[in-house]
Amino acid sequence: SNFQSAVVFPNKISNEQQSLMLVKRLLAVAVSCITYLRGIFPESAYGTRYMDDVCVKILREDKNCPGSTQLVKWMLGCYDALQKKYVSLPVLFSYFKCIEMFIYTITECYHFKFKYTHNGPLLDFSSKNTRNDSTITCADTKKASILLIRKIYVLMQNLSPLPNDVCLTMKLFYYDEVTPSDYQPPGFKEGECEGMIFEGEPMYLNVGEVPTPFHMLKVKVTTEKQRMENVDKSILKHGEANVPLQVLKVDRDDPEENR
């Protein structure tokens, strides 16, 4: 399936379709890396692919592992919503206790935030030292993509393990103003308004973002603070791009996420 194809960076991202293809591939790699390094599925549930010269694991539908097959189906449903520009935020949770009906404790949570530019290329205002009219090149996208996957690797390899009895679920949040009220992508159903209680003390991490001329993908992780004990503090400093992670004081930096 195209879910498993390699991540190929074109010389130029000249249209929205190329950009979408790249964002989908990147999402597949990120989710695969997270579940692989957190030990959610067995080795047999993954194939190996290359992203430029970085070797990455990619989820596959494994008949002996219904969980990985289910997650691939969810990802394909997410692609459907991405294609239609409906989805703003898929969230991959691992939670491990249902306290009572529809109330869960979450132990770790991954947010993938998407932004679309409806009227042509997105300008890069994030970088202070570039002129505001400079559009994003494929080289920028490639560099940011590889950095994002490396950061995920560093973080996942340093976090303490998850409890044994975790379950995995995926939620999608939509841009309400453009999404038909009856829309559900394949594999998803209308969410009950579930209560989510974070187990322990949450730590919010900004893992990184990848811009293309047509999309922006941001990745954040919320984990239990004690799981961060083995994480080398030098990777948590703010600032330069070569320093992987940024600790968010509270997860309120993006007004859209409070809707």
Side-chain angles (χ1 to χ4, degrees):
S1 71
N2 74 346
F3 186 81
Q4 292 196 276
S5 51
V7 180
V8 179
F9 295 97
N11 292 327
K12 186 173 191 297
I13 301 170
S14 49
N15 60 51
E16 198 169 355
Q17 203 48 45
Q18 276 183 317
S19 173
L20 183 68
M21 191 49 115
L22 197 56
V23 169
K24 286 176 176 180
R25 309 266 8 89
L26 202 51
L27 182 63
V29 171
V31 168
S32 299
C33 286
I34 288 166
T35 56
Y36 180 76
L37 293 165
R38 294 312 265 139
I40 305 276
F41 303 121
E43 188 80 38
S44 62
Y46 298 87
T48 302
R49 290 288 177 278
Y50 281 85
M51 187 171 115
D52 203 42
D53 56 352
V54 183
C55 179
V56 294
K57 293 290 184 182
I58 196 97
L59 268 168
R60 58 173 164 215
E61 298 185 61
D62 173 9
K63 61 181 188 301
N64 301 319
C65 181
S68 71
T69 303
Q70 178 62 64
L71 184 51
V72 170
K73 287 196 168 79
W74 286 341
M75 296 292 290
L76 296 173
C78 183
Y79 286 0
D80 184 77
L82 262 175
Q83 186 96 38
K84 296 180 165 79
K85 299 187 182 178
Y86 291 164
V87 71
S88 65
L89 189 71
V91 179
L92 193 63
F93 288 125
S94 2
Y95 59 73
F96 62 98
K97 279 196 209 86
C98 184
I99 308 174
E100 51 185 278
M101 193 68 164
F102 302 138
I103 298 188
Y104 302 100
T105 60
I106 301 174
T107 182
E108 204 159 88
C109 171
Y110 305 89
H111 307 251
F112 298 88
K113 168 104 183 151
F114 296 101
K115 290 187 174 168
Y116 314 89
T117 55
H118 295 273
N119 344 328
L122 181 70
L123 295 178
D124 181 8
F125 297 115
S126 59
S127 176
K128 307 284 178 286
N129 50 10
T130 52
R131 299 191 330 277
N132 278 348
D133 60 350
S134 63
T135 50
I136 290 149
T137 66
C138 193
D140 299 331
T141 301
K142 180 173 165 179
K143 187 178 164 189
S145 301
I146 290 168
L147 186 63
L148 176 70
I149 297 306
R150 291 213 161 113
K151 286 175 182 178
I152 288 173
Y153 262 82
V154 169
L155 178 62
M156 297 298 122
Q157 284 169 327
N158 285 284
L159 285 177
S160 308
L162 287 166
N164 290 329
D165 52 351
V166 290
C167 306
L168 188 68
T169 185
M170 192 178 210
K171 275 181 174 290
L172 298 182
F173 294 84
Y174 304 106
Y175 287 113
D176 286 341
E177 59 276 19
V178 291
T179 308
S181 57
D182 59 351
Y183 172 75
Q184 290 299 335
F188 286 84
K189 63 183 197 314
E190 185 72 42
E192 291 99 359
C193 198
E194 295 148 344
M196 295 287 179
I197 298 166
F198 198 88
E199 175 116 334
E201 190 183 343
M203 182 109 177
Y204 302 104
L205 300 168
N206 230 346
V207 185
E209 53 188 52
V210 177
T212 83
F214 301 91
H215 297 89
M216 168 73 89
L217 168 64
K218 293 185 179 186
V219 182
K220 295 178 183 179
V221 176
T222 308
T223 189
E224 215 287 308
K225 195 172 183 183
Q226 287 185 318
R227 238 175 255 136
M228 295 285 297
E229 280 175 356
N230 310 333
V231 176
D232 178 3
K233 295 297 174 278
S234 68
I235 73 168
L236 295 177
K237 290 198 180 73
H238 296 254
E240 293 310 304
N242 60 353
V243 178
L245 300 167
Q246 191 183 16
V247 178
L248 299 174
K249 293 292 177 280
V250 277
D251 207 9
R252 293 280 180 277
D253 62 324
D254 192 340
E256 289 180 35
E257 268 166 45
N258 299 324
R259 285 200 306 222

